[in-house]
C-alpha cells in the first residue's frame, strides 16, 4: 500500500486538489442559485432542479480533469469527448426540442417574471390560454384553466409567446398564502 502511495503521489495529490476545488466551486454555485431562488421567490423544487444541473456540470469537469491527471493524454481525451459529444449531438439533434425546453427551463429559473400561483394569459392566435401556473418543471409548465383543465405548456414556447399577468397570488413552499 505504501509503495502505491509513493508511486502515484503526484496523481493522488492532484486528484485530491481537483476534488476539493470542485467541491468549493459546487458549493459556491449552489449557494448562488439558492440566493437567486430566494431573492426571486422561486419554488424550492425549481432550485433543486438547478442543483442537479450544477452537479452534472461539476461531474463532467471532474471526469475530464481526473482523466488528465491519471495519464490519459490530451489527444485521447479529445478523441473520447469528441466521440461522446458527437453521439450526444446526433441524439439531441433528433430530439432538439428536449434540449430547447431544458435550456428554456434554466433561463426561466433566472429571469421568468411569473411565479407559481399567478394567473397568466398566453397570447397565441391559434390557441389563447388564460390559466393559473400550478408548477414549473424542467420541460414544461403546468397550467390550470378556470374550467379545471390541466395544460402542459412547453418551456420553449412560453419564452416565444407574449404573456400577460392577469392576477398574482404569492405562495410559499408550504402552499399557504402570504400577505
Amino acid at each position: 500500500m505504501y509503495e502505491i502511495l509513493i508511486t502515484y503521489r503526484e496523481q493522488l495529490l492532484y486528484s485530491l486538489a481537483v476534488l476539493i476545488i470542485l467541491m468549493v466551486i459546487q458549493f459556491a454555485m449552489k449557494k448562488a442559485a439558492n440566493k437567486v431562488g430566494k431573492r426571486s421567490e422561486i419554488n424550492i423544487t425549481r432550485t433543486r432542479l438547478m442543483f442537479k444541473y450544477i452537479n452534472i456540470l461539476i461531474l463532467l469537469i471532474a471526469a475530464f480533469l481526473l482523466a488528465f491527471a491519471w495519464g490519459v493524454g490530451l489527444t485521447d481525451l479529445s478523441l473520447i469527448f469528441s466521440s461522446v459529444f458527437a453521439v450526444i449531438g446526433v441524439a439531441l439533434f433528433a430530439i432538439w426540442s428536449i434540449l430547447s425546453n431544458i435550456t428554456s427551463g434554466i433561463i426561466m429559473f433566472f429571469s421568468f417574471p411569473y411565479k407559481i400561483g399567478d394567473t397568466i394569459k398566453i397570447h397565441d392566435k391559434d390557441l389563447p390560454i388564460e390559466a393559473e401556473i400550478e408548477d414549473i418543471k424542467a420541460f414544461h409548465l403546468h397550467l390550470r384553466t378556470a374550467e379545471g383543465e390541466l395544460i402542459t405548456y412547453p418551456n420553449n414556447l412560453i419564452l416565444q409567446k407574449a404573456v400577460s399577468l392577469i392576477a398574482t397570488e404569492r405562495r410559499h413552499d408550504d402552499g399557504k398564502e402570504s400577505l
Side-chain angles (χ1 to χ4, degrees), residues 71-128:
V72 178
L74 197 54
T75 55
D76 295 333
L77 279 178
S78 64
L79 178 65
I80 291 169
F81 276 97
S82 64
S83 299
V84 167
F85 285 124
V87 170
I88 291 172
V90 169
L92 290 178
F93 180 75
I95 51 174
W96 68 268
S97 63
I98 291 176
L99 179 62
S100 173
N101 283 322
I102 290 173
T103 305
S104 298
I106 292 170
I107 292 169
M108 287 171 53
F109 177 79
F110 290 105
S111 64
F112 195 56
Y114 311 112
K115 308 286 183 238
I116 294 173
D118 290 352
T119 302
I120 61 170
K121 180 175 183 179
I122 302 171
H123 301 278
D124 186 359
K125 67 177 183 168
D126 297 329
L127 182 66

Side-chain angles (χ1 to χ4, degrees), residues 160-171:
Q160 295 175 15
K161 305 289 181 184
V163 179
S164 299
L165 179 64
I166 304 298
T168 301
E169 183 178 332
R170 298 284 184 229
R171 294 182 177 268

Side-chain angles (χ1 to χ4, degrees), residues 139-155:
F139 299 103
H140 55 270
L141 296 171
H142 284 180
L143 304 172
R144 181 78 59 184
T145 64
E147 295 80 28
E149 179 184 13
L150 177 66
I151 299 172
T152 55
Y153 202 79
N155 286 343

